[in-house]
Amino acid sequence: MIPCLPSLALGATLLMAVADAVPSLNVEPSCQAAAKMGDALSLDATRRQCLADEKSAHDELEKQWTQFSSALRERCLATTESGGGPSYVEVLVCLQMGRDAAQMDKSSETRGR
């Protein structure tokens, strides 16, 4: 039974690492839908710009992901996945707004004392 302990510890570490990684989202359908909202002449350009914006947001999330609480990350992911196609841009904005709101709450509590 004791030889299993190292593998259990390794398994727990792997689970934590997965939870602390930016999830993989399929943003292609969202960008395709956004492109269709524009005029036919700019369809491809709009789609390319959308994908570039999503990649940029993903890269920013890679840098900041662990700075946000797991509860906030879960809430923002659930929000973006429930309202249609998922979006890294939406997740990033949600996380930033949640962080800023929490900082405002802390600031107002400090002034209220």
Side-chain angles (χ1 to χ4, degrees), residues 62-78:
E62 286 281 336
K63 295 176 195 169
Q64 299 181 22
W65 188 252
T66 58
Q67 297 172 16
F68 301 105
S69 71
S70 60
L72 181 58
R73 293 187 309 227
E74 288 174 23
R75 186 175 71 214
C76 290
L77 282 171

Side-chain angles (χ1 to χ4, degrees), residues 13-96:
T13 303
L14 290 175
L15 286 175
M16 285 181 112
V18 170
D20 286 340
V22 176
S24 183
L25 303 177
N26 181 9
V27 298
E28 181 69 37
S30 298
C31 286
Q32 190 64 31
K36 286 180 181 178
M37 290 181 162
D39 61 65
L41 295 175
S42 65
L43 184 70
D44 192 48
T46 302
R47 186 180 147 281
R48 279 195 312 259
Q49 183 59 53
C50 177
L51 290 171
D53 291 345
E54 290 293 338
K55 183 185 179 328
S56 177
H58 178 271
D59 293 347
E60 195 60 35
L61 284 169
E62 286 281 336
K63 295 176 195 169
Q64 299 181 22
W65 188 252
T66 58
Q67 297 172 16
F68 301 105
S69 71
S70 60
L72 181 58
R73 293 187 309 227
E74 288 174 23
R75 186 175 71 214
C76 290
L77 282 171
T79 299
T80 193
E81 291 172 348
S82 68
S87 165
Y88 291 113
V89 172
E90 256 184 57
V91 172
L92 180 60
V93 169
C94 177
L95 290 170
Q96 291 170 336

Side-chain angles (χ1 to χ4, degrees), residues 1-10:
M1 182 128 154
I2 292 177
C4 292
L5 289 178
S7 61
L8 286 174
L10 177 62

